[in-house]
Amino acid sequence: MHTLNLLKKPGVYVLIFQIAKPFNVNVGGLGKVDFKPGTYLYVGSARGKGGIKARVMRHLSKEKKLKWHIDYLTSSNNVNILCVIYSYTKNPLEPALVRKLEVCLERVVKGFGSTDTRLYTHLFRTEMDLQSVIELVVNVMKELKCKPIVTLIT
């Protein structure tokens, strides 16, 4: 298990992960979904008592009860989590972050992570290299007045 210096505070985050080869997986109510190779970004928020710490640690664990759409990916050995960028905030910034990222990234799987909102998806794909993706997310978070923290997963 990864050791990260995360706090049990609410916030918003972007999980960045790699899919190296094509695969498909049953994503709960969304059904069977095909994923092609590339770098993916998932936008989420952590508002419960465990905050960012609990949510990120859940994403990093392969063994878990499949509850959210993202669990179906993060539990797969075909998914390699590269980085998490997060900001502690009580403000509900997840929709604004999604709206800003969807203009410059490929939207993937309608309804993924967004069944409780009117947003198309919370999952994106890109061909950009990791450093460029990190810079994009950090800049977008700063535009939203967040203080982004970048943590590479090794």
Side-chain angles (χ1 to χ4, degrees), residues 7-78:
L7 302 176
K8 293 180 178 181
K9 293 170 66 173
V12 65
Y13 65 91
V14 176
L15 192 67
I16 302 171
F17 57 94
Q18 188 79 38
I19 294 178
K21 61 182 182 179
F23 83 105
N24 60 52
V25 64
N26 187 351
V27 181
L30 297 177
K32 189 153 292 247
V33 179
D34 293 318
F35 291 94
K36 58 186 180 181
T39 301
Y40 287 77
L41 296 84
Y42 173 76
V43 180
S45 61
R47 310 207 65 66
K49 64 181 179 178
I52 290 286
K53 181 175 186 170
R55 191 58 53 89
V56 170
M57 296 311 291
R58 176 184 178 82
H59 292 325
L60 294 177
S61 172
K62 294 287 185 193
E63 302 293 324
K64 60 190 146 215
K65 182 178 178 185
L66 303 180
K67 178 177 179 180
W68 292 298
H69 293 147
I70 190 65
D71 290 344
Y72 293 86
L73 286 177
T74 57
S75 64
S76 170
N77 288 328
N78 293 307

Side-chain angles (χ1 to χ4, degrees), residues 56-121:
V56 170
M57 296 311 291
R58 176 184 178 82
H59 292 325
L60 294 177
S61 172
K62 294 287 185 193
E63 302 293 324
K64 60 190 146 215
K65 182 178 178 185
L66 303 180
K67 178 177 179 180
W68 292 298
H69 293 147
I70 190 65
D71 290 344
Y72 293 86
L73 286 177
T74 57
S75 64
S76 170
N77 288 328
N78 293 307
V79 171
N80 180 31
I81 298 175
L82 305 172
C83 178
V84 62
I85 304 171
Y86 58 95
S87 182
Y88 298 113
T89 179
K90 291 182 180 177
N91 297 327
L93 296 176
E94 186 179 14
L97 185 53
V98 166
R99 282 190 208 96
K100 286 190 171 285
L101 290 174
E102 72 183 355
V103 228
C104 45
L105 298 169
E106 176 188 347
R107 298 187 306 178
V108 182
V109 190
K110 182 177 182 180
F112 193 103
S114 62
T115 52
D116 58 343
T117 70
R118 292 180 178 217
L119 299 169
Y120 183 87
T121 188

